[in-house]
Amino acid sequence: MKFLRASDTALLAQADSLEQAVELNRAWQNIVGIRELVPGASTVLVHFNPARVTAEALMAQLESTDVSTSCDGQARHITIPVTYDGEDLASVADLLGLSEESLIQRHLAAEWTVAFSGFAPGFGYAKSSDPIFQVPRRSSPRTRVPAGAVGLAGPFTGIYPRESPGGWQLIGHTRDLLWDIHREPPALMAPGTVVRFERETRDGVVVSGAPSATHDDAAGEPTPAAVSSSSPDGNALTVISPGLQMLIQDTGRAGHAALGVSTSGAADRTAMRQANQAVGNHAQVPVIECIGAVELEYHGAPSVAVVTGAMGQMQLTATNGAHHKVSGGLPFAVDSGDRLSLGYPQRGLRYVLAVRGGIQAESALGSLATDTLAGLGPSPLKAGDHIAVGDPEAAPYAVEPLGVQRDLPAPGDTVDLAITLGPREDWFTPAALEALVGQDWEVTTRSDRVGLRLLGEVALERRVTGELPSEGAVTGAIQVPPDGQPVLFLPDHPLTGGYPIVGAVTRQDLDLAAQLPPGVRIRFTAPDPAGRQHGSNGTEHLPLNGTEPGDPR
């Protein structure tokens, strides 16, 4: 086992095998200072709190943990019906030297154990002892894979819980619901689950395989948490124009990595914290995060609101037609019928709106955060939606006029982002590492809450070719796809991925990264990567810095 730097608040433990990674993940669950563990095909990503433990002390404790005492308990067994009609069935059979029918029978005969989750909520990586299953991903991923598609990649089989892009080889589909937050556990293929497949024809008749399913069936897709389309009782905001994107966000849903659920949450947590402080809410109270020119109308008892984050023309129009200028970071009074208009940001990208009493909506796994990749939390807001707002009298603190003005960039500006190299910088040539920090990277229009798609004059050339087994990724990770143009992961990034990560933006610069509009140029700055230290037991140590409290990213 060796430890690699994943960020200034995360380590990547490289195990000798999938089985060892599973054992380490079980054994490390209750170690002080660890925020969350994300197991991968042969790794465990360890998120830690640098205010409670240093990286060096944590590595020593992880090394000394007795994994033999970990116990999995009684395994859960399920059976899933599959119609074997996948687009890649013939090519995979040919690749493995089998007939299509022989491939199907091997898939049915195998007992599959879910080792870990990732990519999307409910996506379980299940492995069998049958050595025939070693299948490369597609060279060109599909942009749309339907929900229920059954695929193969490497030694794993998996099922797509919802429509999404994907590069797995598709051999069939199932009608079963893979993810339902109203079920326990929400993920049908949760880690540790033993899965057998039974064959189903196109008309729904089971013709072979194991006995009937032992899991709970659920009809249709789960209904996502949503705001009301009819005016609620009490205080509320009505969306007149949602701009390019309007979402409800809070600190996210940490602690569900085992189900394939990432933390998500507010992209700019500094702006969220400042907004709540200005109106007297707790720092973690939900807010509205929006991009573009937006307009909302307030209804209810007199209250106080504030806008932080991006900077642009902002105006409050009263019911009598009077216009009042709104300044970023300064709380302002709102009465029933007042309309707030935010122009397209001139600096930064995301506005954050807080109202005294807090935004209220239906939660999903204990959070109101909208995860755009996973489809969790309230749906993106649209014109006509009504968002409930709490009682301003219930807010715990006094209104605090902060008047915070942050130096956010505009298109054409260049910003510096500090990064740590790793965990897979050794997959790239020395010239690529020089290009990473030696040239500017432009934020493209293909960016979103999943990540910033960057464009540089010199693409990053890989030294190691081939596929990387799926492993955990942090917010701020700089992942490099085959074209050599990086993606800087933001809060809604996949929990795991198979492209190498060359570095990660440090925690102190994550909020700035979330405020970069298309056209901004990034210059990455990194410390000297030298200074690797080796423990007496052969475990490789990479020194990490970080002593300040951090948020659960």
Side-chain angles (χ1 to χ4, degrees):
M1 178 179 64
K2 67 178 180 180
F3 292 103
L4 305 173
R5 186 201 318 262
S7 75
D8 57 340
T9 60
L11 299 168
L12 187 71
Q14 177 71 63
D16 297 328
S17 64
L18 170 63
E19 291 72 24
Q20 186 188 34
V22 171
E23 291 175 355
L24 294 174
N25 181 61
R26 293 173 188 159
W28 293 345
Q29 289 295 322
N30 298 314
I31 292 180
V32 174
I34 291 181
R35 285 203 177 104
E36 191 159 39
L37 300 171
V38 182
S42 59
T43 60
V44 180
L45 180 65
V46 183
H47 292 273
F48 67 92
N49 185 344
R52 303 192 67 183
V53 63
T54 66
E56 290 76 11
L58 178 59
M59 285 188 285
Q61 189 170 4
L62 296 177
E63 291 170 10
S64 62
T65 302
D66 183 2
V67 299
S68 65
T69 60
S70 62
C71 181
D72 193 22
Q74 186 64 37
R76 174 170 165 262
H77 290 71
I78 63 171
T79 304
I80 298 177
V82 175
T83 302
Y84 288 92
D85 58 356
E87 297 176 49
D88 302 315
L89 181 64
S91 60
V92 171
D94 184 63
L95 180 69
L96 299 180
L98 301 172
S99 67
E100 291 183 31
E101 183 59 31
S102 294
L103 171 59
I104 292 170
Q105 291 302 323
R106 296 284 283 267
H107 196 257
L108 289 168
E111 183 177 83
W112 302 84
T113 301
V114 181
F116 62 98
S117 296
F119 177 67
F123 190 98
Y125 291 73
K127 184 181 179 183
S128 80
S129 58
D130 189 338
I132 194 68
F133 292 105
Q134 190 60 244
V135 180
R137 291 179 175 87
R138 288 173 54 87
S139 58
S140 177
R142 292 181 171 90
T143 57
R144 295 177 62 185
V145 176
V150 179
L152 296 170
F156 301 107
T157 192
I159 305 175
Y160 287 77
R162 64 195 300 263
E163 183 181 288
S164 61
W168 286 39
Q169 306 275 8
L170 306 183
I171 62 171
H173 77 275
T174 181
R175 297 177 294 107
D176 282 4
L177 189 62
L178 274 294
W179 174 262
D180 182 356
I181 60 174
H182 304 296
R183 182 175 58 200
E184 182 56 42
L188 187 61
M189 294 178 63
T193 302
V194 177
V195 182
R196 282 194 177 274
F197 296 100
E198 59 185 2
R199 193 172 188 176
E200 188 174 46
T201 63
R202 291 180 182 273
D203 57 5
V205 177
V206 176
V207 295
S208 67
S212 58
T214 59
H215 59 82
D216 296 327
D217 292 319
E221 290 289 330
T223 302
V227 298
S228 173
S229 58
S230 59
S231 183
D233 296 331
N235 307 322
L237 287 166
T238 298
V239 179
I240 307 301
S241 174
L244 299 178
Q245 186 182 69
M246 183 180 288
L247 308 171
I248 296 175
Q249 293 295 346
D250 58 18
T251 55
R253 46 183 67 83
H256 298 286
L259 300 177
V261 178
S262 63
T263 299
S264 185
D268 182 351
R269 300 194 177 205
T270 296
M272 182 185 73
R273 184 171 58 252
Q274 291 174 343
N276 278 318
Q277 183 179 353
V279 297
N281 292 333
H282 286 295
Q284 299 82 12
V285 166
V287 296
I288 293 176
E289 175 186 286
C290 46
I291 298 176
V294 306
E295 187 172 7
L296 302 103
E297 183 170 297
Y298 176 76
H299 299 278
S303 190
V304 179
V306 72
V307 180
T308 60
M311 292 170 281
Q313 295 295 321
M314 299 182 284
Q315 179 178 273
L316 187 71
T317 303
T319 54
N320 63 3
H323 301 302
H324 305 280
K325 181 181 178 181
V326 173
S327 298
L330 288 176
F332 54 91
V334 289
D335 289 319
S336 191
D338 287 353
R339 285 199 175 193
L340 175 65
S341 300
L342 308 180
Y344 201 89
Q346 298 167 351
R347 306 193 71 83
L349 179 66
R350 291 178 166 87
Y351 289 115
V352 172
L353 170 66
V355 183
R356 186 170 174 81
I359 302 300
Q360 299 181 339
E362 182 183 347
S363 68
L365 296 179
S367 170
L368 271 66
T370 301
D371 186 330
T372 58
L373 179 67
L376 283 176
S379 300
L381 299 169
K382 60 186 184 300
D385 282 344
H386 301 283
I387 311 153
V389 177
D391 181 3
E393 298 296 327
Y397 307 115
V399 173
E400 186 173 346
L402 302 175
V404 176
Q405 294 292 329
R406 292 164 66 196
D407 186 20
L408 297 178
D413 290 348
T414 300
V415 301
D416 290 338
L417 294 182
I419 66 171
T420 57
L421 293 177
R424 300 299 177 185
E425 77 271 29
D426 57 345
W427 276 53
F428 297 89
T429 64
L433 296 181
E434 290 179 9
L436 175 68
V437 298
Q439 69 175 355
D440 290 349
W441 299 91
E442 183 176 350
V443 178
T444 71
T445 57
R446 296 172 56 238
S447 302
D448 52 25
R449 275 182 55 91
V450 174
L452 301 180
R453 273 69 177 179
L454 307 180
L455 180 63
E457 182 178 347
V458 178
L460 301 184
E461 182 183 8
R462 278 170 55 169
R463 184 178 64 84
V464 178
T465 58
E467 294 185 358
L468 177 70
S470 293
E471 61 188 28
V474 301
T475 300
I478 304 169
Q479 188 186 69
V480 185
D483 65 2
Q485 299 293 344
V487 179
L488 197 170
F489 278 164
L490 292 183
D492 291 356
H493 66 86
L495 197 66
T496 60
Y499 294 138
I501 292 171
V502 67
V505 173
T506 59
R507 179 180 51 83
Q508 65 184 13
D509 281 352
L510 285 176
D511 290 338
L512 175 59
Q515 288 289 3
L516 302 184
V520 165
R521 303 182 73 83
I522 296 172
R523 176 63 65 97
F524 292 122
T525 62
D528 186 346
R532 295 173 185 262
Q533 303 171 1
H534 295 268
S536 58
N537 63 354
T539 299
E540 184 177 2
H541 289 213
L542 291 178
L544 283 173
N545 297 321
T547 57
E548 300 177 21
D551 53 48
R553 300 210 213 204

